[in-house]
Amino acid sequence: MAHELPPLPYDYAALEPHIDEKTMHLHHDMHHAAYVKNLNAALEKYPDLQSKSAEELLRNLNAIPEDIRAAVRNNGGGHVNHSMFWKIMKPKGGGEPSGKIADVIKKTFGSFKDFQTKFNDAGTKQFGSGWVWLAAKATGEVQVISTPNQDTPISQGLFPIMGNDVWEHAYYLKYNNRRPEYLQAWWNVVNWEEVNKRLESLKTAAEPALAHR
Ligand code: MN3
């Protein structure tokens, strides 16, 4: 039961002009594929860990044998983060959020615009590679956080409702060093239906159901 690379849920060019086709090819077929391959390689010596979902492994990294802990953290994180990332984007996405996520954003941040500003700011300030998130506590309370590398909110006991990848591999071909421009453009491809589904999964499951193992 090896971990598998999920297919992109749309064409590589579908997020143009905001995210270019070549970046999507490299990002999905090379970067994400490498995380999956390296996660499986790390688990080779530990058959009892192979049946666990990547989320389960990441939820308690201290329980992972020390010799593969960093590999699981980086590659398991990379796998889970990107599996979410592809799904929370879609062609002709973006616009104002609707449904429950709109209410949560308004209640927490005052307005969608204030939320975007806070999210973009955290993404811009994340030094080096990492992610910016809207993450929820089990109580449902949400906050904007950033994490370095492929670290996931799951390892902090938080649930990632949505997140943007601020590694240079996510934007450098099109935006070069202009990360703020990428962060701004990204809102045009957000799949609010999927974000709402993730928010909903907080309430319907004791263990939030993430899409992919
Ligand atoms: Mn990436």
Side-chain angles (χ1 to χ4, degrees):
M1 290 259 291
H3 295 274
E4 284 177 12
L5 177 67
L8 263 193
Y10 35 74
D11 188 76
Y12 292 94
L15 304 181
E16 293 265 11
H18 311 293
I19 303 182
D20 61 286
E21 180 176 5
K22 191 170 182 193
T23 292
M24 291 300 285
H25 265 293
L26 292 167
H27 202 173
H28 177 271
D29 300 358
M30 309 300 282
H31 291 281
H32 189 172
Y35 298 128
V36 173
K37 183 171 173 247
N38 293 333
L39 174 62
N40 286 327
L43 297 174
E44 244 164 44
K45 272 170 58 190
Y46 296 95
D48 51 323
L49 295 182
Q50 290 168 12
S51 60
K52 292 185 186 294
S53 70
E55 290 83 3
E56 279 180 273
L57 299 173
L58 293 161
R59 201 165 286 136
N60 188 5
L61 282 168
N62 288 332
I64 305 297
E66 213 176 341
D67 63 327
I68 63 163
R69 193 175 299 155
V72 168
R73 179 178 184 160
N74 294 332
N75 297 290
H79 178 34
V80 167
N81 294 343
H82 289 84
S83 296
M84 172 212 69
F85 189 56
W86 313 130
K87 293 185 77 173
I88 63 157
M89 299 191 290
K90 69 168 191 180
K92 299 191 175 72
E96 294 269 329
S98 56
K100 288 228 165 70
I101 190 67
D103 300 338
V104 167
I105 286 171
K106 190 157 188 234
K107 188 179 153 211
T108 311
F109 303 101
S111 71
F112 177 46
K113 212 161 192 69
D114 288 338
F115 164 57
Q116 282 182 305
T117 302
K118 196 159 191 178
F119 190 95
N120 289 356
D121 194 48
T124 300
K125 285 182 179 155
Q126 170 58 41
F127 183 76
S129 298
W131 289 74
V132 54
W133 306 95
L134 180 67
K137 292 181 184 172
T139 56
E141 192 188 326
V142 300
Q143 55 191 312
V144 169
I145 62 167
S146 64
T147 57
N149 308 312
Q150 293 296 349
D151 288 1
T152 164
I154 294 169
S155 303
Q156 301 178 28
L158 299 170
F159 178 69
I161 292 177
M162 62 190 291
N164 193 2
D165 187 342
V166 298
W167 282 58
E168 285 184 344
H169 69 221
Y171 64 86
Y172 207 86
L173 288 182
K174 182 177 173 73
Y175 297 94
N176 306 140
N177 61 331
R178 302 184 305 279
R179 188 191 287 182
E181 207 179 297
Y182 159 73
L183 281 159
Q184 193 58 46
W186 182 75
W187 295 101
N188 293 304
V189 296
V190 172
N191 180 346
W192 290 114
E193 292 80 16
E194 182 64 22
V195 173
N196 265 309
K197 270 190 212 161
R198 295 179 65 84
L199 180 65
E200 205 56 47
S201 76
L202 258 180
K203 291 170 199 154
T204 53
E207 298 265 302
L210 290 174
H212 290 279
R213 37 168 287 125

